[in-house]
Amino acid sequence: MIDLVTLGESMALFTARRTGLLRHARDFGLSVGGAESNLAIGVTRLGRRAAWIGRVGADEFGELLRSTLAGEGVDVQGMIVDPDAPTGLMIKNRRTSEMVDVRYYRSGSAGSRLRPEDLDVSLIRSARVLHITGITLALSASAREAVRAAVAEARDAGVTVSADINYRRALWSPEEASAVLRETVAATDVLFATEAEARLIVEGADPVALAGALSDLGPRHVLVKRGPLGAVELSDGVVRHAEPYHVTELDPVGAGDAFAAGWLAETLEGAGPERRLATACAAGAFAVAADGDWESLPRRSDLDRLRPADAVSR
């Protein structure tokens, strides 16, 4: 049985090996990246079964995505090979030692052509959690309809709906995003957002107020991610604060996906609120402490290696 299903676009990821202007890069590492597939890998590494639904091109990058996700234990039965569009690309480089720049080449990509007919409805309806992101909502009109159809199927089947705002300015304006995201939040049970993302939808002077305003729209659980400042969770009316893990940040990309993966994996395990929040923060810390969007995501055996002083004992 699949615990969690997610859908979206994953891309081939080229990372420049030298720091500086991208125009001077001559050597690149090749991997894959994408918010939803990052999360699926994170959930799988923590011992739960995850599946990814999406389109890839009939090209070597599409094969790379299939082999990478399958190699990490992610179920890819919902992966569709599009013969008429290429797999999207991400290019990552360090402008300085502390500044990571990511560029996306996804216009007209296979992933942006996701549509409701692509959904494995039986897979969604039999899962325990459906996880969506604002990225997929912004990719195209057909991808947005696919997300809406997936959420409708999940809710009809009693499947928990989880969403990460994951706002990308390159894909849509704040004004366009606000109305769509507000509609989406109202249909979710679990919501992840940064403070800036929360303010696209609601008003609030601080993370607790923002969490409360988001909760008023419908979600039972709201997680406000604060990066190096930790996180705030509002669940069933109870507010909890999570202290950050102190690590040296090497690559911030994928930290939010790791946080959500940690929280959802522990929820699927039946863990209590303190443990799921502690694991979420630990997973986010592992993600930023090494290069790569998902390569450093923790396994169960890693969690005890990195703990804040006041973390709950396992």
Side-chain angles (χ1 to χ4, degrees):
M1 179 179 177
I2 296 296
D3 292 305
L4 179 144
V5 176
T6 187
L7 66 154
E9 179 176 30
S10 291
M11 296 156 284
L13 169 59
F14 287 87
T15 304
R17 297 191 187 279
R18 63 175 292 175
T19 299
L21 290 169
L22 185 61
R23 72 190 70 164
H24 300 307
R26 299 295 181 269
D27 189 16
F28 292 83
L30 174 61
S31 182
V32 301
E36 300 82 10
S37 56
N38 293 343
L39 180 132
I41 291 172
V43 167
T44 301
R45 284 195 176 182
L46 290 171
R48 308 310 305 186
R49 289 274 293 161
W52 179 84
I53 296 173
R55 280 180 172 251
V56 299
D59 48 38
E60 285 297 303
F61 297 141
E63 286 301 314
L64 174 64
L65 278 161
R66 179 187 296 277
S67 62
T68 300
L69 294 182
E72 286 292 326
V74 176
D75 188 303
V76 292
Q77 62 180 295
M79 180 182 288
I80 295 171
V81 177
D82 188 331
D84 301 316
T87 303
L89 300 179
M90 296 172 60
I91 311 295
K92 184 191 294 186
N93 74 294
R94 290 185 179 279
R95 182 63 182 85
T96 70
S97 61
E98 297 181 351
M99 184 187 301
V100 177
D101 182 31
V102 182
R103 300 169 187 268
Y104 299 92
Y105 297 86
R106 63 203 319 172
S107 178
S109 66
S112 69
R113 289 156 58 103
L114 185 69
R115 57 187 183 176
E117 295 82 359
D118 295 335
L119 301 177
D120 186 330
V121 172
S122 62
L123 187 64
I124 293 170
R125 294 181 69 90
S126 64
R128 296 173 61 191
V129 175
L130 170 71
H131 181 76
I132 62 171
T133 77
I135 297 173
T136 313
L137 286 166
L139 284 177
S140 66
S142 66
R144 187 174 304 174
E145 289 308 309
V147 173
R148 287 171 171 162
V151 170
E153 292 290 348
R155 294 191 68 83
D156 183 65
V159 175
T160 296
V161 177
S162 166
D164 194 328
I165 297 299
N166 257 331
Y167 176 68
R168 297 291 186 270
R169 182 177 292 274
L171 293 175
W172 54 353
S173 69
E175 295 74 23
E176 182 184 5
S178 179
V180 175
L181 292 172
R182 191 177 183 87
E183 168 198 323
T184 303
V185 168
T188 64
D189 303 293
V190 181
L191 181 68
F192 300 91
T194 65
E195 292 181 66
E197 289 169 343
R199 289 191 173 96
L200 289 172
I201 308 166
V202 296
E203 295 181 354
D206 56 57
V208 175
L210 289 167
L214 289 169
S215 180
D216 287 342
L217 297 179
R220 177 182 170 189
H221 307 281
V222 176
L223 289 299
V224 178
K225 302 174 290 185
R226 307 187 68 207
L229 298 179
V232 169
E233 174 178 348
L234 174 60
S235 289
D236 298 322
V238 178
V239 175
R240 294 179 176 85
H241 297 265
E243 295 300 320
Y245 287 73
H246 300 290
V247 296
T248 299
E249 181 181 298
L250 295 180
D251 186 349
V253 180
D257 308 326
F259 179 95
W263 195 93
L264 290 168
E266 291 291 26
T267 300
L268 289 163
E269 287 282 341
E274 290 81 10
R275 178 172 162 184
R276 69 194 182 204
L277 194 52
T279 297
C281 289
F286 271 108
V288 305
D291 290 322
D293 282 23
W294 55 268
E295 286 84 346
S296 63
L297 297 182
R299 293 176 170 81
R300 287 275 167 198
S301 58
D302 296 319
L303 293 178
D304 286 330
R305 300 184 179 188
L306 185 66
R307 302 179 64 75
D310 60 349
V312 63
S313 298
R314 289 176 58 89

